[in-house]
Amino acid sequence: MSTDTQQQVFWEQQNRSFSKPTPACDLLHPEAREGQTDPALTETQYFGFSVPEEHIHGLTYLWHHPNLGVVSGGVFAWRGVKRGPLEAELFDMVTFASDDCLAGDLYDYKLPNGYHVTTQEPMRRHRLRYADPGRGNALDISFEAVMPAMVLANGHHLEQAMRTTGELTLGGETYPVEGFNVRDRTWSELRRDTLQPGGMPPIDWMTGAFGDDFSFGCTAQDNLDSDPDWKGVIEASPGDPLKLGWVWRDGELTPLVSSRKRSRRTAGTLFPEFVEMELTDACGRTYEMKGTILAACPWYPWPTLEAVICSVRWECEGRTAYGELQRGLRPDYIRAFRGRV
């Protein structure tokens, strides 16, 4: 395996084509360790869920470092806007547990905090479970694919719209989870926590599903000509601000080829509040989308990254979707802007 494709994670490079999904995409990739001894070698598994009418959002995560023999991950859910993850109604993440729990691959595993995932049919159906009776928190949610997975041409990352069905209990109150979410998975990548020279502007991973027939994923920065706050302070990433994008529309999966995006954020927290964007796919179709943040909470998956996880109400072509925006903030940006009016 060439290590060249592993030196940048998917949001640091432009991606304009797909590869064919296979059931193996949903399982561990031990072959990645052949000739690759870097401790940053990574596999991840992400699922999200929401109760939009209650402004509740949540996620579950698995981060495997196969060369270190450890896993991190768990469950995270909250209502409204929180200043930090420890304010969330549910935040139960373990770090650096033994990867012995993955002896059954990703077909069935349970982390030490009780987070339990069953892959009932690779690339089609998953079930997530968790319970903390003492705090009155629990979830039991099934995910079923409503589209084939988008797999990047390098074969290291997938995204897929899923129908969510189940229940979430927070503080003893139970809510139905009935909607959609776009999951993702990455494997055979090196995820290092080193800082880039000159810093990195905020970048957003955005997803939404309007129904079985229409969903999208887009990873992009604000365009320079929209005068983002970081313009002239932090150097823009080279090339197109669109790093990755796709649209599933009426049974067809098409890559995005351009984006025009601007966003508004709060002064004190730097959390996003509103997003406008125009997306163009490879067939020449244009989608104008507006996104309003319903819930937001930061998370620190590694020390040099603040990931602001948001529930978003998207509007496009007279339809409404509930999805996500995950904004990556780096120290240079936070030092320059946090707390300034």
Side-chain angles (χ1 to χ4, degrees):
M1 175 184 299
S2 169
T3 60
D4 292 341
T5 59
Q6 298 173 323
Q7 300 311 304
Q8 291 183 306
V9 292
F10 70 87
W11 62 81
E12 295 176 343
Q13 54 189 312
Q14 292 182 0
N15 305 271
R16 296 293 186 271
S17 58
F18 308 147
S19 60
K20 184 178 180 180
T22 68
C25 294
D26 244 347
L27 302 173
L28 295 176
H29 293 72
E31 70 280 2
R33 301 182 62 186
E34 298 176 9
Q36 181 52 266
T37 60
D38 195 310
L41 187 64
T42 285
E43 289 218 27
T44 67
Q45 185 188 58
Y46 167 83
F47 295 93
F49 53 90
S50 64
V51 187
E53 61 274 16
E54 300 287 346
H55 290 204
I56 291 173
H57 194 61
L59 66 86
T60 69
Y61 202 62
L62 172 74
W63 189 352
H64 182 211
H65 286 85
N67 285 337
L68 297 177
V70 297
V71 296
S72 301
V75 186
F76 181 17
W78 67 95
R79 184 199 299 270
V81 177
K82 308 294 188 184
R83 293 171 298 178
L86 300 188
E87 294 183 8
E89 284 80 356
L90 167 54
F91 185 75
D92 193 349
M93 294 281 179
V94 297
T95 55
F96 310 124
S98 169
D99 67 359
D100 289 347
C101 63
L102 301 182
D105 208 303
L106 299 184
Y107 282 111
D108 190 87
Y109 68 87
K110 181 184 287 188
L111 299 187
N113 56 9
Y115 171 53
H116 186 189
V117 176
T118 305
T119 298
Q120 298 167 318
E121 182 182 351
M123 309 302 286
R124 289 295 306 169
R125 295 185 298 117
H126 300 77
R127 183 182 180 190
L128 315 183
R129 284 166 284 180
Y130 169 85
D132 180 356
R135 294 179 176 84
N137 293 329
L139 64 84
D140 189 344
I141 305 173
S142 295
F143 291 73
E144 185 168 2
V146 298
M147 61 170 280
M150 183 288 303
V151 181
L152 291 184
N154 66 11
H156 297 165
H157 177 80
L158 71 79
E159 298 177 5
Q160 186 177 32
M162 313 288 285
R163 182 184 298 277
T164 59
T165 306
E167 291 184 340
L168 169 69
T169 301
L170 290 180
E173 187 168 354
T174 298
Y175 306 90
V177 178
E178 305 286 345
F180 298 91
N181 182 262
V182 175
R183 69 167 181 135
D184 86 348
R185 231 180 84 61
T186 299
W187 58 93
S188 305
E189 271 190 357
L190 302 180
R191 289 200 177 177
R192 299 189 177 100
D193 56 5
T194 51
L195 296 176
Q196 294 183 351
M200 181 179 178
I203 188 166
D204 296 336
W205 182 79
M206 300 166 289
T207 64
F210 294 85
D212 293 1
D213 62 321
F214 183 19
S215 54
F216 76 96
C218 176
T219 301
Q221 295 167 332
D222 283 4
N223 290 69
L224 271 176
D225 61 8
S226 72
D227 292 322
D229 55 4
W230 48 265
K231 183 178 180 180
V233 179
I234 298 174
E235 184 177 352
S237 300
D240 193 315
L242 173 67
K243 305 305 179 186
L244 161 66
W246 54 269
V247 173
W248 169 255
R249 190 67 187 265
D250 299 327
E252 183 180 12
L253 181 63
T254 308
L256 295 177
V257 296
S258 70
S259 67
R260 295 190 57 78
K261 170 177 168 287
R262 71 178 185 92
S263 60
R264 185 179 68 226
R265 50 92 170 163
T266 61
T269 66
L270 308 184
F271 294 179
E273 288 184 316
F274 185 78
V275 178
E276 288 183 329
M277 58 185 177
E278 181 180 283
L279 308 177
T280 302
D281 69 17
C283 296
R285 295 173 296 198
T286 298
Y287 304 90
E288 294 186 2
M289 295 197 182
K290 294 182 179 181
T292 302
I293 305 304
L294 302 179
C297 188
W299 180 37
Y300 303 88
W302 62 79
T304 58
L305 175 70
E306 179 176 277
V308 185
I309 315 297
C310 305
S311 173
V312 184
R313 182 179 66 244
W314 295 106
E315 297 174 52
C316 180
E317 299 177 357
R319 299 176 67 176
T320 299
Y322 295 97
E324 287 187 273
L325 183 154
Q326 298 187 11
R327 172 160 293 183
L329 302 179
R330 292 291 192 165
D332 303 272
Y333 177 80
I334 290 174
R335 279 195 298 270
F337 295 103
R338 179 150 288 166
R340 296 187 181 183
V341 177

